[in-house]
Amino acid sequence: MWHKRDDMIVHETDPYNAEPPRLGLHDPITTPDSFYVRNHGPVPENDPGDWAVTVDGLVDESASFTPERLREEFTHHTLTATMQCAGNRRAGFLPVRDIPGEDPWGPGATSTAPWTGARLCDVLRSVGVADGARHVEFTASDVSDLADPPQAYGGSIPLAKALSSEVLLAWAMNSEPLPLVHGAPVRVVVPGYVGARSVKWLRGITVRADPSENYFQATAYRVLPPEADPDHAGPGDGISLGSVALNCDILSPEEHEHVPGGPVRVTGYAYAGDDRTVARMDVSGDDGRTWHQAELDAAASPWAWQHWEALVPVTGAGSHVLMARAWDSTGACQPESPRALWNPKGYVNNSWARVEVTVE
Amino acid sequence: MWHKRDDMIVHETDPYNAEPPRLGLHDPITTPDSFYVRNHGPVPENDPGDWAVTVDGLVDESASFTPERLREEFTHHTLTATMQCAGNRRAGFLPVRDIPGEDPWGPGATSTAPWTGARLCDVLRSVGVADGARHVEFTASDVSDLADPPQAYGGSIPLAKALSSEVLLAWAMNSEPLPLVHGAPVRVVVPGYVGARSVKWLRGITVRADPSENYFQATAYRVLPPEADPDHAGPGDGISLGSVALNCDILSPEEHEHVPGGPVRVTGYAYAGDDRTVARMDVSGDDGRTWHQAELDAAASPWAWQHWEALVPVTGAGSHVLMARAWDSTGACQPESPRALWNPKGYVNNSWARVEVTVE
């Protein structure tokens, strides 16, 4: 049904949820067999021959687009964009406090690919956006029993974002047809937003006055205060997630790797969602006492992560913590510790990256 | 030449640099006599009869606008927007390390007013923006000897921001003619950006391919790494400041105030620049061990700060540190400590707010 690298870290098999090891993230473009997968229900067994995406709600005229019609009627665009799960780096919260019922995603719940498809703004303009429109809802065909009662996965984005040039209805990834596990035949790609809004197996687009009432928009994917009981959270509780917060992680060395003393080559990724960019990257080899600026690679697009590299002195046999922190284009830095950021669903751990290594 | 409240905290008299005490910031709209002032040179003694703003560079046709012509030819718009200096809360850095040559701004280098003027986008469209335009430079008439050789103050913003509906060429503040110390007869107001880009005493607008080469854009108002020597920083060094980073402070109680034990009413402001909003506000009365969510007032506009209030238990006679931290609409929180954020010019101290009080 899909092919992933053998060393994929599988958090769940049903629904399939998996992230690549750090090794799978070393390149600016993630290969499809390394690309992380976050599912909320079984991958639907779709018959592409029967597929259509309806567009309705606050539009001048409702319409229905088969994948062929999307390809034929709209200009094709390819954009390299990073997808990042709101739960990326959740495992960093676990030393603070356990997070029952949620997968312990490491630094691999993020990946980058060139996506090809039609611009959502072109599709919306073709049907006409009516007065009062403020949000655009996406509905998928995968049904999740995380919602009670079970519900098709869905979510929404503000109309202004939907009308931006970067949001795609994509049918290809890495110049190949979109794999089923990544949302074939058609998925949404919302660059700069948490992955949850990039709805796969897209069946419906509804232009609305208000955000979607779908469970995954109204109730899930929200940062609750630490004292909240997520089992009793209601629609509207907490902070609804949209743009991705500034984040980074270390890709090499690996956690618990043995390294020779002296300068250690430290690499990683950094990403700032939406209109922010990564402006500086600091790396420390002495538990944060001194910091060295990393070389930042150019981003493949304004919507893609950046890889970085630094040579950092690590001296003295024994255990050392390598640390990394990103600064964004507002001059703001990531928060230091996951302690203050812990929340009941484990979202947005954007604290400084830490990897423990042993100097031989 | 201008009137400010008697208890203004004057950091410098020449050029005049002053912030209101916390008391002056309690209202959603700051009165003109409380509004902070950040100058880089003497307030120019302008003859408004002789005033004109030239628009040139990458435009279809250069033009020159007297204040009267701006008023007559363009629709008037009023927008409530917060102005925030990049050095707001700099004093919080001083316990970490001294910052020679810079004023120790407290939490009052921020204020909010309704501004009235013409939209910059309307003015730019009237002259036509030419191909290749990417940035819009503003030049003032105040000359600063912080630059060597002394230079008229200036800066620039990206064209996309300049074409947004929120950037104004303002001639009024709080429904009154703009006071001279705040930039009369015409100033720029760039909501969501650090105050440095809201150029006062505006004389020139130049549409450019690149950011301004003015000292205050190319060299100053940049976050340098801690080891940098600001006296030898060159153009392009460090992170150029644009959008304001998420920030907050406590307005009441005052620092070192004596309070009765029990629930203490804590108030303050919070602000997220550009497209972010303040999504949650936490307050602690026990040095950060437990946190209480504050009530957030509605913002006067998408470009204005929000005031907040919480009743927080503070128990046990003696010294206590009240703390406050804001969360933005991406689910990200402010960094905890100023220690990691210290930089040679003392910009962007957006660490958690702290006020020490004594319980009687």
Side-chain angles (χ1 to χ4, degrees):
Chain A
M1 210 164 159
W2 57 81
H3 180 261
K4 288 287 166 184
R5 54 191 296 154
D6 294 340
D7 57 358
M8 205 75 174
I9 300 161
V10 179
H11 295 296
E12 281 183 277
T13 53
D14 186 20
Y16 182 69
N17 279 295
E19 67 181 296
R22 284 181 161 89
L23 257 179
L25 300 170
H26 283 202
D27 294 323
I29 302 297
T30 315
T31 56
D33 74 333
S34 290
F35 206 103
Y36 85 96
V37 178
R38 172 73 178 108
N39 287 331
H40 305 81
V43 172
E45 292 176 40
N46 298 309
D47 176 1
D50 187 30
W51 197 273
V53 179
T54 58
V55 186
D56 57 19
L58 296 171
V59 295
D60 294 338
E61 194 160 5
S62 297
S64 179
F65 295 93
T66 62
E68 295 65 38
R69 204 179 146 197
L70 282 176
R71 277 186 188 77
E72 282 162 17
E73 293 190 11
F74 300 100
T75 307
H76 297 196
H77 293 273
T78 296
L79 177 69
T80 296
T82 294
M83 198 76 75
Q84 188 159 127
C85 181
N88 188 41
R89 305 183 65 225
R90 175 182 291 147
F93 280 140
L94 303 184
V96 179
R97 189 169 148 194
D98 197 24
I99 300 175
E102 301 292 333
D103 299 330
W105 294 93
T110 184
S111 301
T112 300
W115 307 93
T116 303
R119 284 182 173 156
L120 175 60
C121 59
D122 290 345
V123 174
L124 289 175
R125 287 196 179 107
S126 78
V127 298
V129 174
D131 285 351
R134 299 282 298 278
H135 296 266
V136 176
E137 175 181 51
F138 310 117
T139 306
S141 65
D142 57 321
V143 174
S144 172
D145 59 12
L146 296 173
D148 180 20
Q151 188 180 24
Y153 186 85
S156 63
I157 60 175
L159 180 66
K161 181 73 178 176
L163 292 179
S164 73
S165 61
E166 68 267 15
V167 180
L168 298 181
L169 304 183
W171 52 72
M173 178 181 178
N174 303 65
S175 307
E176 300 283 338
L178 194 62
L180 179 60
V181 74
H182 289 296
V186 178
R187 74 171 298 168
V188 189
V189 175
V190 186
Y193 269 42
V194 293
R197 308 307 173 215
S198 288
V199 172
K200 295 186 282 197
W201 311 295
L202 181 69
R203 281 288 199 180
I205 298 173
T206 304
V207 181
R208 299 167 50 97
D210 300 304
S212 168
E213 292 169 10
N214 188 287
Y215 170 81
F216 295 96
Q217 182 76 39
T219 305
Y221 287 111
R222 284 172 176 265
V223 174
L224 299 168
E227 68 277 11
D229 175 358
D231 294 335
H232 292 90
D237 289 355
I239 304 170
S240 177
L241 293 172
S243 301
V244 176
L246 177 68
N247 215 336
C248 81
D249 215 326
I250 293 169
L251 294 175
S252 172
E254 296 273 346
E255 182 83 66
H256 305 308
E257 192 170 325
H258 286 240
V259 298
V264 172
R265 182 175 166 270
V266 185
T267 70
Y269 66 76
Y271 182 59
D274 232 13
D275 66 336
R276 306 267 165 105
T277 56
V278 177
R280 196 176 102 204
M281 190 71 222
D282 298 340
V283 187
S284 172
D286 57 3
D287 305 74
R289 279 186 295 277
T290 59
W291 294 85
H292 305 263
Q293 277 191 57
E295 289 286 324
L296 263 175
D297 290 350
S301 91
W303 304 101
W305 63 10
Q306 287 173 261
H307 281 70
W308 51 263
E309 176 177 339
L311 266 183
V312 178
V314 184
T315 48
S319 174
H320 294 266
V321 177
L322 304 175
M323 297 165 76
R325 63 186 187 198
W327 300 72
D328 74 14
S329 43
T330 71
C333 186
Q334 294 176 245
E336 182 168 340
S337 157
R339 193 171 53 93
L341 310 181
W342 188 95
N343 61 88
K345 302 284 281 182
Y347 296 130
V348 197
N349 177 18
N350 73 332
S351 59
W352 300 357
R354 288 169 173 81
V355 162
E356 195 177 337
V357 295
T358 301
V359 172
E360 289 167 342
Chain B
M1 211 163 159
W2 57 82
H3 180 262
K4 289 286 166 184
R5 55 191 295 153
D6 294 340
D7 56 358
M8 206 75 175
I9 300 161
V10 179
H11 295 296
E12 281 183 277
T13 52
D14 185 19
Y16 182 69
N17 279 293
E19 67 180 296
R22 285 181 161 90
L23 258 179
L25 300 170
H26 283 202
D27 294 324
I29 302 296
T30 315
T31 56
D33 74 333
S34 290
F35 206 102
Y36 84 96
V37 178
R38 171 74 178 111
N39 287 331
H40 304 80
V43 171
E45 292 176 41
N46 298 309
D47 175 3
D50 187 31
W51 197 273
V53 179
T54 58
V55 186
D56 57 19
L58 297 171
V59 296
D60 295 338
E61 194 160 4
S62 297
S64 179
F65 295 92
T66 62
E68 294 65 40
R69 205 180 146 195
L70 282 176
R71 277 185 187 79
E72 282 161 19
E73 294 190 11
F74 300 100
T75 307
H76 297 196
H77 293 273
T78 296
L79 178 69
T80 296
T82 294
M83 199 76 76
Q84 188 159 127
C85 181
N88 189 40
R89 303 183 67 222
R90 176 183 290 146
F93 280 141
L94 303 184
V96 178
R97 190 168 148 193
D98 197 24
I99 300 176
E102 301 292 333
D103 298 330
W105 294 93
T110 185
S111 302
T112 300
W115 308 92
T116 302
R119 283 182 174 157
L120 175 60
C121 61
D122 291 345
V123 174
L124 290 175
R125 286 193 182 109
S126 77
V127 297
V129 173
D131 286 350
R134 300 281 298 279
H135 297 266
V136 176
E137 175 181 50
F138 310 117
T139 306
S141 65
D142 56 321
V143 174
S144 173
D145 60 11
L146 296 173
D148 180 19
Q151 188 181 24
Y153 187 85
S156 63
I157 61 175
L159 180 66
K161 181 72 179 177
L163 293 178
S164 72
S165 61
E166 68 267 15
V167 179
L168 297 181
L169 305 183
W171 54 72
M173 178 180 178
N174 303 67
S175 306
E176 299 284 339
L178 194 62
L180 179 60
V181 75
H182 289 295
V186 179
R187 73 172 298 169
V188 189
V189 175
V190 187
Y193 269 42
V194 293
R197 308 308 173 214
S198 288
V199 172
K200 295 186 281 196
W201 311 296
L202 182 69
R203 279 290 197 178
I205 298 173
T206 304
V207 182
R208 299 168 50 97
D210 301 303
S212 168
E213 293 169 10
N214 188 287
Y215 170 79
F216 295 96
Q217 181 77 39
T219 304
Y221 286 110
R222 286 172 174 264
V223 174
L224 299 168
E227 68 276 10
D229 175 358
D231 294 334
H232 292 91
D237 289 354
I239 304 169
S240 179
L241 293 171
S243 301
V244 176
L246 177 69
N247 216 335
C248 81
D249 215 326
I250 294 169
L251 294 175
S252 172
E254 296 273 345
E255 182 84 64
H256 304 309
E257 192 170 326
H258 286 242
V259 298
V264 172
R265 181 175 167 269
V266 185
T267 70
Y269 67 76
Y271 183 58
D274 233 14
D275 65 335
R276 306 267 165 104
T277 55
V278 177
R280 195 177 102 203
M281 191 71 222
D282 299 340
V283 186
S284 173
D286 57 4
D287 306 77
R289 279 186 296 276
T290 59
W291 293 85
H292 306 264
Q293 278 189 58
E295 289 286 324
L296 263 175
D297 289 350
S301 92
W303 303 102
W305 64 10
Q306 287 173 260
H307 281 69
W308 50 264
E309 174 176 342
L311 266 184
V312 178
V314 183
T315 49
S319 173
H320 292 267
V321 177
L322 304 175
M323 296 165 77
R325 63 187 187 197
W327 300 72
D328 74 15
S329 43
T330 71
C333 186
Q334 295 177 245
E336 182 168 337
S337 158
R339 194 172 53 93
L341 310 181
W342 187 96
N343 61 88
K345 301 284 280 182
Y347 295 129
V348 198
N349 177 18
N350 74 331
S351 58
W352 299 358
R354 288 170 172 82
V355 162
E356 195 176 337
V357 295
T358 300
V359 172
E360 289 166 341

